[in-house]
Amino acid sequence: MASEKPILYSYFRSSCSWRVRIALALKGISYDMVPVNLLKDGGQQFSAEFKAMNPMQQVPALKIDGITLSQSLAIIHYLEDTRPNPRLLPQDPKKRAQVRMIADHIVSGIQPLQNLSVLKQMGEKKTEWAQNCIASGFQALEQTLKHTAGRYCVGDEVSI
């Protein structure tokens, strides 16, 4: 039912979950939170119940308006499409594209390299490998921000 309070399935250390919690807060959307501990019991995201809701077995997941969404940017874009005020994407198409580019850079080029599922595959030098990849990603991001930043990453308005 569309009038029900949204439910966010989240983990307190998940940067992806933080992205969604921040977007919900900026938009003033009240929600209930269900914690999903990624470490306890071998990872609660691997339970049959959670897998039935989110086959990717990752947080965050958001039940809202009668649907369940996963992937932080997809959730944030849905919130932006259905609850446009306050805006999290600039009106100007060039700035909007820059915001999306930076968000994609982070969610695709930096953040996945620290995920538990990725690090488990990397062996003994996983920390060193992850640190090098993440540092390289942030160096590239800093170069981009030299051309886009104002008070925030793109201009002077908070965005995704």
Side-chain angles (χ1 to χ4, degrees), residues 18-31 79 86 88:
W18 270 106
R19 258 183 234 117
V20 173
R21 289 195 300 269
I22 291 167
L24 289 165
L26 288 171
K27 289 190 168 287
I29 300 169
S30 178
Y31 62 95
L79 296 175
L88 296 180

Side-chain angles (χ1 to χ4, degrees), residues 44-158:
Q44 295 174 341
Q45 73 276 22
F46 299 120
S47 72
E49 179 184 358
F50 191 80
K51 184 178 182 180
M53 180 189 55
N54 182 2
M56 282 296 291
Q57 299 174 294
Q58 298 173 335
V59 292
L62 182 69
K63 286 187 176 183
I64 188 168
D65 300 337
I67 62 172
T68 301
L69 297 169
S70 63
Q71 302 301 325
S72 61
L73 285 185
I75 293 168
I76 293 168
H77 284 297
Y78 178 79
L79 296 175
E80 186 72 359
D81 290 343
T82 60
R83 294 148 176 90
N85 292 307
R87 257 193 329 270
L88 296 180
L89 285 170
Q91 285 186 305
D92 176 80
K94 290 178 183 176
K95 286 185 178 182
R96 193 167 47 246
Q98 289 173 324
V99 165
R100 288 178 171 145
M101 173 184 69
I102 291 166
D104 282 344
H105 179 99
I106 293 167
V107 302
S108 299
I110 297 173
Q111 185 272 324
L113 304 173
Q114 66 173 333
N115 280 357
L116 291 173
S117 61
V118 172
L119 291 176
K120 284 181 181 179
Q121 306 296 319
M122 297 312 301
E124 292 178 18
K125 295 194 177 209
K126 64 184 171 195
T127 301
E128 180 183 340
W129 174 82
Q131 287 173 341
N132 288 336
C133 291
I134 292 167
S136 175
F138 274 117
Q139 288 168 1
L141 179 61
E142 289 292 332
Q143 291 300 309
T144 299
L145 295 179
K146 286 180 182 179
H147 303 286
T148 63
R151 185 171 177 202
Y152 300 102
C153 290
V154 177
D156 295 324
E157 295 179 21
V158 173

Side-chain angles (χ1 to χ4, degrees), residues 7-11 17 33-34 36 50 53 59-63:
I7 301 170
L8 177 65
Y9 295 81
S10 177
Y11 182 56
S17 294
M33 187 163 60
V34 175
V36 179
F50 191 80
M53 180 189 55
V59 292
L62 182 69
K63 286 187 176 183

